[in-house]
Amino acid sequence: MDQWQKSSTHADLCNFLLAISDAVADTKISADFPRSEAVCAIVTMLKALGDMVNEFPPIQQSMRFGNKAFASWHAKLQEEAAGLLAEMLPKDPAVQEAVVELVPYLLDSFGNATRIDYGTGHEANFMAFLLCLQKLGVIGEADMTALGLFVFVEYVAVMRKIQSVYVMEPAGSHGVWGLDDYHFLPFLWGASQLQSSQEIAPADVHDQELLAEFAHEYLYLDAIQFIYKVKTGGPFTEHSPILYSISQIAPAKGWPKVCEGFKKMYYAEVLGKLPVIQHFLFGSLLPADWNQEQ
């Protein structure tokens, strides 16, 4: 793990996440930011994958979690992934040749078909997929805001549909001591969106009217609202104690402190955990550039 954390791929992933975090700072989802042809093509593909869920309704089974229909959905994704990417990408032969390397990251972005689970490692694979597109020159610096507030918003929408329809198990969940059963980045980038906000403080996440009014504009508030919808078995302080603790941060320190804390937490709890990284794939775009014998 020490070699991984010193590698160029780890640095590239961290820098990519920070670039998106900086790009979405103080920006609403509805803001008028550039949406390039490449970014729109990614969103079109994601919408198609969301629609594909309708082709594989959940089956009747005795188990409450992990509906096996997800395996059928994922099998179709495997069949069509290369074609979807070839259609989405520019026709440049060098870019098209990279499809074989992009497919595994895309497949791993939507959960595990055998365990029927999903977690922050799968979310990280979607970031790796986008990073590969950047390295190929498909997307660039001007797309960073759209990646966080257009592409990622659609990705989360698709994942929530998949999670709810197939009742997916949380992969590697920390239970009440985690932020969310499935995602992390909506909190990190959502805190960045609110970084200079004088209207919304961390403590305001308990205001249901405020959530209803602004959840569609801010990733953080949307994630909190979703937790309220799915975790109805107790008070917020019990089912989400970490998020409750964050909500008690003094307004004077506010969102900048929250944002910095999430960055450190992501490095430690996602990119710094062997159960996540042991499944990560490396290739020419994201190389394992360290001595394998060390």
Side-chain angles (χ1 to χ4, degrees):
M1 285 299 293
D2 183 59
Q3 292 297 312
W4 149 247
Q5 290 173 317
K6 294 177 181 177
S7 70
S8 65
T9 295
H10 181 277
D12 287 346
L13 266 174
C14 291
N15 290 335
F16 186 63
L17 295 170
L18 290 177
I20 295 176
S21 181
D22 290 343
V24 304
D26 305 320
T27 306
K28 294 180 179 180
I29 291 172
S30 67
D32 185 21
F33 47 79
R35 292 168 171 83
S36 67
E37 183 178 342
V39 160
C40 290
I42 300 169
V43 169
T44 298
M45 181 188 69
L46 290 172
K47 288 182 182 294
L49 295 179
D51 291 342
M52 199 169 78
V53 173
N54 302 331
E55 300 176 30
F56 302 96
I59 62 174
Q60 294 293 322
Q61 62 182 45
S62 57
M63 296 179 294
R64 178 187 171 193
F65 291 98
N67 194 281
K68 293 181 180 178
F70 173 71
S72 300
W73 179 89
H74 203 274
K76 184 168 183 181
L77 172 61
Q78 282 186 285
E79 291 174 11
E80 299 192 356
L84 287 169
L85 289 174
E87 183 178 350
M88 183 200 83
L89 294 168
K91 302 312 176 187
D92 181 342
V95 175
Q96 289 288 325
E97 287 175 5
V99 165
V100 66
E101 198 164 331
L102 293 171
V103 165
Y105 293 118
L106 184 67
L107 295 180
D108 283 346
S109 296
F110 297 95
N112 184 278
T114 302
R115 299 189 301 271
I116 313 181
D117 65 5
Y118 175 91
T120 52
H122 301 107
E123 182 186 62
N125 266 278
F126 187 65
M127 290 304 99
F129 169 72
L130 295 178
L131 175 58
C132 286
L133 295 184
Q134 184 194 48
K135 284 176 173 283
L136 289 166
V138 175
I139 54 178
E141 186 177 344
D143 295 310
M144 293 297 108
T145 305
L147 292 182
L149 301 183
F150 185 42
V151 172
F152 188 68
V153 167
E154 185 62 35
Y155 169 71
V156 171
V158 171
M159 279 317 312
R160 284 184 181 162
K161 183 176 183 179
I162 291 172
Q163 290 153 10
S164 60
V165 169
Y166 301 122
V167 198
M168 298 184 79
E169 293 271 15
S173 172
H174 293 286
V176 299
W177 300 110
L179 295 179
D180 176 285
D181 283 338
Y182 300 111
H183 293 283
F184 191 110
L185 292 176
F187 298 98
L188 195 163
W189 291 338
S192 183
Q193 278 185 281
L194 291 161
Q195 199 154 214
S196 300
S197 176
Q198 300 298 314
E199 300 175 346
I200 302 171
D204 290 333
V205 299
H206 308 299
D207 184 336
Q208 295 299 325
E209 291 185 4
L210 182 140
L211 292 179
E213 183 176 357
F214 292 108
H216 71 287
E217 293 284 19
Y218 297 104
L219 291 166
Y220 192 93
L221 301 184
D222 178 64
I224 295 291
Q225 186 181 58
F226 187 72
I227 288 173
Y228 273 115
K229 288 179 180 177
V230 299
K231 294 191 176 183
T232 58
F236 194 85
T237 53
E238 291 182 5
H239 61 62
S240 301
I242 301 296
L243 289 170
Y244 177 78
S245 177
I246 290 169
S247 74
Q248 301 305 298
I249 290 176
K253 297 179 179 178
W255 294 111
K257 179 179 175 64
V258 174
C259 193
E260 288 305 309
F262 281 146
K263 290 173 185 176
K264 293 175 183 177
M265 191 174 180
Y266 191 83
Y267 299 152
E269 299 300 327
V270 180
L271 298 183
K273 291 298 184 184
L274 180 60
V276 172
I277 301 306
Q278 69 183 356
H279 300 295
F280 202 80
L281 298 175
F282 300 93
S284 64
L285 295 170
L286 302 181
D289 57 353
W290 61 87
N291 187 341
Q292 300 293 322
E293 297 180 357
Q294 288 184 339

